[in-house]
Amino acid sequence: MEIISNLILGLGVALTPINLLYCFAGVLLGTLIGVLPGIGPVATIAMLLPATFALNPVTALIMLAGIYYGAQYGGSTSAILVNIPGETSSVVTCLDGYQMARQGRAGAALSVAALGSFFAGCVATVVIAGFAPPLAEVALKFGPAEYFSLMVMGLVAAVVLAHGSLIKAIAMIVLGLLLGLVGTDVNSGVSRFSFDIPELSDGIGFVIVAMGVFGFTEVIVNLELKEAREVFFKKVSGLWLTRADVKAATPAVLRGTLIGSVLGILPGGGALLSSFAAYSLEKKVSKNSAKFGKGAIEGVAAPESANNAGAQTSFIPLLTLGIPSNPVMALMVGAMTIHGIQPGPQIVTNQPEMFWGMIASMWVGNLMLVVLNLPMIGLWVKLLTVPYRMLFPAILLFCAIGIYSLSNSGFDIYLAVLFGLLGYVFVKLACEPAPLLLGFILGPMMEENLRRAMLLSRGDATVFFTHPISLGMLIAAAALLLIVVAPAVRKKREDVFVE
Amino acid sequence: MPHLTFRIFLAALALACASLPATAQTVGPAWPTQTIRLIVPFTPGTGMDTIARIVAPKLGERLGQAVIVENKPGASGNIGADAVAKAAPDGYTLMVGANTMLMAASLYKSVPFNPVTDFAPISLAAWGTLMLVTNPKTGINSVADLIAKAKASPGKLTYGSPGVGTPHHMAMELFKDLTGTDLLHVPYKGSSGAVVDLLSGSIDLMFIPIHVAMPYVKAGKLKALAVGSPKRHPLAPDLPTLQELGIKGAEVDMWYAFLAPKGTPAPIIAKLNTELRAILALADVKSAFEKQGLYAASNSSAEMATLMQKDFIRWAAIIKKNKISAD
């Protein structure tokens, strides 16, 4: 059993006192920056990079990886408690997690997020250990045509995300697509919708939109409904999961883990999609899909498992192909090269200690995170009893610091405030911001891949149907669309979603 | 008379306060008296950022003041560069720039600064080498092969780049121009997507930094054709340069440099130049740069100014001739 001996080699590296210490430091720091809205792993890792010069490369990478998946854990905390997604993955967690908190079930939401993430992390570690090299080949099968079809599927699934009017959901997706188009066009280099403002020429940052329409809007709405807010924190009950919770959450965790592990492998936004995909699937298959968006525990369990699994398997393209799938991975490449390791196809054979040591440390780090996070849940929930008049300035301040730290630009904060006001308008119009964000993420990627596929096929649109993977996904998207618009289902949908 | 002494003391204090800023402005050796900001107009983790983060602590030590690296990314580096161009020329705002700045000036219709006249060059920081690679499935084994294939079916071969106006893109445009070939440009957002598609064979060729390319070349996943530097590279000593292959003028190196806003006092520039040259000659700095595929180098501020002027004219001509635009 080669894999066992490899894992033993890895554990030998990961369990040395110094590596354990740095792993702990990484996950602790990661949790903290994850909890603080806006201050993400990218800025933290960038700042810590030079500090790792003196360390052994494996130790440095173990710590930096710890910051990354620690932040995934921490990110769910602020999403659940104060409805602020610090990262893409936490957007979906806001939907039901925050509703659970409003019903006094913040403890249960945090528990299921931590346990679901732990389970997903363990499974994903095994996936990396067992299948990393063959899975890397799958990533190479995804060309522009395949990505385009994947995005089409994602957009159709976005409709499922909303609970409310179908028309409004589609309108929000389209608005998201339009916002995503702001900035320099990849193919021609022409600026679109940027009104000669240089800060807009690279497009609007995801965190800015998310903080605006979720975080800032939430604060405005809460200040408006002052009394209602005081009530829902009086009855904080049940820090732990009930038997019914476990029963409902378990299949959701399993499905979320599977989706996250698969999508995480795709470089270029796969991991990003996983939490959205997991939520959409769960809402479709769940018996009580009516409860989604109103505090369904499955709605927390599935995306949280998916994003953690995806975060972990997104190391596969990095470790086997040397391809960073997101900005954090790009920094990991930087960390490796600083230590003289050039990520690429030979890393598994040339640096087995580093490869397996990192994989083993992920499992160790996940265990540490669960131990670290479960006792802290009581503490976090206590935070909710802080009077809102003291809590909201702190929330706004941390959001502002976080947004500023993205690119040291005050313009970004004003932009987030603008999105906060826009979000308030959406609340008044009863429009959901989640489909907007998905459209915002998917739109530019879809356009980019569509045009690249057409460029490579010299304008031949059949390329989307002749590539088998692409065709498969388009068929799946069509089937999904049929389910959504089919009269019988639509009738049921209206019954369920009218509020 | 305590009352009087107090008055004299007050008067002396007022005088001292009044004269303080004046002395600080005129006396050169007093610099630096506060933290120095080193602006990087790109995101953390990029080559430019690494240069800044390796050099900043050493420069701070030598000057006796902290040197803080500040990332100001956006608009292909134009936002950060513009902030530096408009900063007070007091020696407390510096930046790491690259030859992309000069390309951007001709690419974008409305660049709010002039890359040659708005900056006071301090010194060169490093050179980076681009390598011309292809996917082995194309069956192209040499630059001569490539030119022959490209001429046989114009526009059929495709090449990737991390975006319009990047050195990778400009290098290939220069190659096309000098060899009279027609290759289809497929731009990406950043290099990782482009490298994946190059590995899978969706695109045929690309210029990539040599340290990034080497692991794939060694694993047989990519085929190296030539390097774009004037001299052969120690990482691939057997690989010819484009010049050697008879493509005259095909120097597509990337350079990085330290710059200050125009009008920064000459004594400050001179002091920075001395300290930076000493830092860039350190063995540990050289080796840290090498791991990033960069070759540490320095020059005088006059030499740097000449290099910037020369490249500005050269790339402007290529951009104009090939009708490349980014705005």
Side-chain angles (χ1 to χ4, degrees):
Chain A
M1 284 301 276
E2 205 189 338
I3 177 168
I4 306 254
S5 64
N6 282 332
L7 277 177
I8 290 170
L9 168 77
L11 281 173
V13 176
L15 293 179
T16 55
I18 180 95
N19 285 346
L20 277 177
L21 182 73
Y22 276 96
C23 184
F24 181 74
V27 296
L28 181 67
L29 193 65
T31 308
L32 290 179
I33 56 153
V35 171
L36 291 177
I39 302 173
V42 178
T44 315
I45 294 177
M47 278 188 274
L48 282 175
L49 261 187
T52 65
F53 279 138
L55 298 176
N56 168 334
V58 184
T59 310
L61 289 170
I62 283 175
M63 181 177 81
L64 297 177
I67 293 176
Y68 176 51
Y69 52 78
Q72 306 287 334
Y73 265 76
S76 58
T77 308
S78 49
I80 291 168
L81 294 181
V82 284
N83 200 26
I84 292 175
E87 295 199 53
T88 335
S89 51
S90 332
V91 170
V92 193
T93 311
C94 283
L95 302 178
D96 279 283
Y98 184 61
Q99 293 307 320
M100 282 182 76
R102 298 187 72 143
Q103 292 155 16
R105 302 195 65 222
L110 290 169
S111 302
V112 80
L115 292 171
S117 296
F118 176 65
F119 175 79
C122 292
V123 172
T125 304
V126 175
V127 170
I128 300 180
F131 310 105
L135 284 178
E137 296 301 316
V138 175
L140 282 186
K141 295 260 184 303
F142 265 74
E146 284 78 11
Y147 272 111
F148 170 74
S149 302
L150 178 71
M151 302 298 154
V152 170
M153 205 167 86
L155 270 192
V156 173
V159 179
V160 182
L161 264 178
H163 56 82
S165 130
L166 187 62
I167 297 292
K168 280 181 182 169
I170 292 170
M172 290 302 271
I173 294 170
V174 172
L175 187 59
L177 288 174
L178 288 175
L179 287 171
L181 294 184
V182 173
T184 308
D185 168 41
V186 184
N187 286 58
S188 63
V190 172
S191 280
R192 295 187 297 198
F193 306 119
S194 66
F195 305 104
D196 278 336
I197 302 168
E199 281 85 354
L200 286 181
S201 63
D202 284 343
I204 303 168
F206 168 79
V207 174
I208 296 170
V209 181
M211 291 269 210
V213 297
F214 275 90
F216 287 4
T217 301
E218 185 62 29
V219 169
I220 304 174
V221 170
N222 277 329
L223 289 176
E224 195 180 42
L225 318 161
K226 204 164 153 203
E227 290 100 72
R229 170 138 192 133
E230 298 299 335
V231 174
F232 74 81
F233 292 124
K234 288 278 154 57
K235 47 166 193 178
V236 174
S237 66
L239 291 193
W240 299 100
L241 299 171
T242 62
R243 190 176 288 268
D245 285 342
V246 174
K247 207 174 155 214
T250 308
V253 167
L254 290 173
R255 280 188 286 262
T257 304
L258 182 74
I259 290 181
S261 302
V262 173
L263 289 179
I265 298 159
L266 301 176
L272 211 90
L273 283 177
S274 61
S275 56
F276 284 101
Y279 186 89
S280 304
L281 175 77
E282 214 49 49
K283 192 167 168 181
K284 269 286 156 219
V285 300
S286 174
K287 273 191 249 50
N288 53 349
S289 61
K291 269 186 70 191
F292 273 70
K294 293 171 193 149
I297 196 157
E298 301 96 313
V300 178
E304 276 301 308
S305 317
N307 89 53
N308 215 47
Q312 224 118 315
T313 52
S314 63
F315 276 89
I316 291 180
L318 175 75
L319 290 173
T320 54
L321 294 172
I323 305 290
S325 50
N326 57 41
V328 177
M329 293 297 132
L331 282 170
M332 298 290 288
V333 171
M336 287 186 190
T337 46
I338 278 176
H339 290 284
I341 301 163
Q342 189 57 54
Q346 314 114 308
I347 213 160
V348 187
T349 40
N350 291 1
Q351 307 271 350
E353 289 198 1
M354 195 205 81
F355 181 81
W356 295 105
M358 250 181 98
I359 288 171
S361 87
M362 286 178 196
W363 188 81
V364 175
N366 272 298
L367 188 65
M368 284 178 178
L369 278 169
V370 127
V371 174
L372 197 73
N373 276 283
L374 285 182
M376 289 219 310
I377 288 175
L379 195 76
W380 291 127
V381 174
K382 279 239 165 51
L383 189 73
L384 286 181
T385 54
V386 172
Y388 199 63
R389 68 190 150 78
M390 288 156 87
L391 199 59
F392 90 84
I395 294 175
L396 289 180
L397 179 69
F398 279 118
C399 282
I401 294 173
I403 295 167
Y404 185 78
S405 74
L406 291 174
S407 56
N408 291 320
S409 154
F411 179 84
D412 291 349
I413 299 179
Y414 295 123
L415 203 58
V417 170
L418 208 67
F419 276 105
L421 296 175
L422 191 66
Y424 180 72
V425 176
F426 292 154
V427 170
K428 291 287 149 190
L429 297 175
C431 290
E432 297 274 321
L436 173 114
L437 280 173
L438 195 60
F440 179 73
I441 296 167
L442 292 180
M445 292 204 282
M446 190 163 123
E447 188 212 3
E448 200 187 321
N449 284 295
L450 168 70
R451 291 175 62 184
R452 188 171 300 140
M454 295 296 280
L455 196 61
L456 286 170
S457 72
R458 305 298 193 282
D460 179 7
T462 57
V463 65
F464 301 107
F465 306 104
T466 50
H467 287 215
I469 299 176
S470 168
L471 179 67
M473 275 182 302
L474 285 179
I475 291 173
L480 249 174
L481 196 65
L482 214 64
I483 293 171
V484 174
V485 298
V489 186
R490 191 174 60 202
K491 191 157 177 297
K492 189 173 146 214
R493 201 191 138 89
E494 275 161 7
D495 290 343
V496 170
F497 294 118
V498 164
E499 282 170 71
Chain B
M1 295 183 109
H3 194 69
L4 187 68
T5 31
F6 182 66
R7 272 196 183 171
I8 293 171
F9 171 74
L10 269 188
L13 193 74
L15 203 72
C17 287
S19 61
L20 246 174
T23 46
Q25 264 171 3
T26 50
V27 179
W31 178 88
T33 54
Q34 65 184 66
T35 305
I36 296 169
R37 296 187 309 153
L38 181 57
I39 309 281
V40 174
F42 284 88
T43 48
T46 46
M48 212 181 266
D49 181 65
T50 320
I51 292 175
R53 287 178 198 273
I54 291 170
V55 170
K58 296 188 191 290
L59 185 62
E61 242 167 65
R62 281 162 186 266
L63 295 174
Q65 279 292 340
V67 178
I68 308 279
V69 177
E70 201 179 303
N71 296 88
K72 265 197 173 298
S76 304
N78 284 350
I79 290 178
D82 186 45
V84 175
K86 299 203 166 42
D90 52 9
Y92 295 108
T93 309
L94 311 174
M95 80 176 275
V96 184
N99 52 350
T100 46
M101 273 171 69
L102 304 171
M103 300 172 183
S106 307
L107 275 168
Y108 290 87
K109 203 167 52 201
S110 51
V111 175
F113 59 90
N114 183 315
V116 177
T117 58
D118 282 352
F119 295 93
I122 303 168
S123 169
L124 191 66
W127 290 101
T129 299
L130 289 172
M131 188 185 228
L132 180 58
V133 290
T134 66
N135 185 300
K137 284 179 212 158
T138 56
I140 295 169
N141 287 313
S142 66
V143 173
D145 258 9
L146 169 63
I147 296 173
K149 261 207 171 150
K151 289 213 163 140
S153 42
K156 187 158 179 293
L157 289 171
T158 55
Y159 77 93
S161 84
V164 174
T166 52
H168 317 56
H169 172 209
M170 301 309 296
M172 198 67 90
E173 289 300 322
L174 180 64
F175 178 85
K176 279 165 62 176
D177 190 40
L178 294 173
T179 56
T181 47
D182 183 10
L183 308 164
L184 179 68
H185 179 214
V186 184
Y188 289 76
K189 270 187 191 164
S191 34
S192 59
V195 174
V196 174
D197 279 1
L198 181 62
L199 288 173
S200 69
S202 294
I203 52 173
D204 301 315
L205 62 154
M206 189 169 164
F207 269 110
I208 16 185
I210 188 161
H211 69 297
V212 176
M214 279 319 284
Y216 302 110
V217 172
K218 280 186 190 149
K221 308 236 174 202
L222 293 178
K223 168 88 191 148
L225 300 181
V227 288
S229 51
K231 278 185 283 186
R232 291 193 178 203
H233 197 279
L235 278 178
D238 299 335
L239 203 64
T241 66
L242 288 172
Q243 305 260 38
E244 280 175 49
L245 296 169
I247 305 164
K248 293 278 170 264
E251 285 171 49
V252 293
D253 269 348
M254 299 182 286
W255 55 251
Y256 301 90
F258 291 100
L259 309 170
K262 170 118 194 140
T264 304
I268 293 180
I269 299 280
K271 178 146 172 75
L272 281 168
N273 183 277
T274 316
E275 299 299 348
L276 286 171
R277 289 183 98 149
I279 292 167
L280 291 164
L282 294 172
D284 61 330
V285 171
K286 275 188 184 297
S287 77
F289 275 31
E290 259 164 44
K291 286 169 188 166
Q292 301 289 326
L294 300 168
Y295 181 75
S298 58
N299 59 8
S300 74
S301 46
E303 284 165 343
M304 193 61 230
T306 316
L307 176 63
M308 286 175 76
Q309 185 71 41
K310 192 191 95 189
D311 267 14
F312 181 56
I313 295 167
R314 180 164 78 119
W315 289 115
I318 294 162
I319 288 165
K320 199 172 170 204
K321 188 169 171 196
N322 294 289
K323 298 188 183 71
I324 306 161
S325 105
D327 204 353

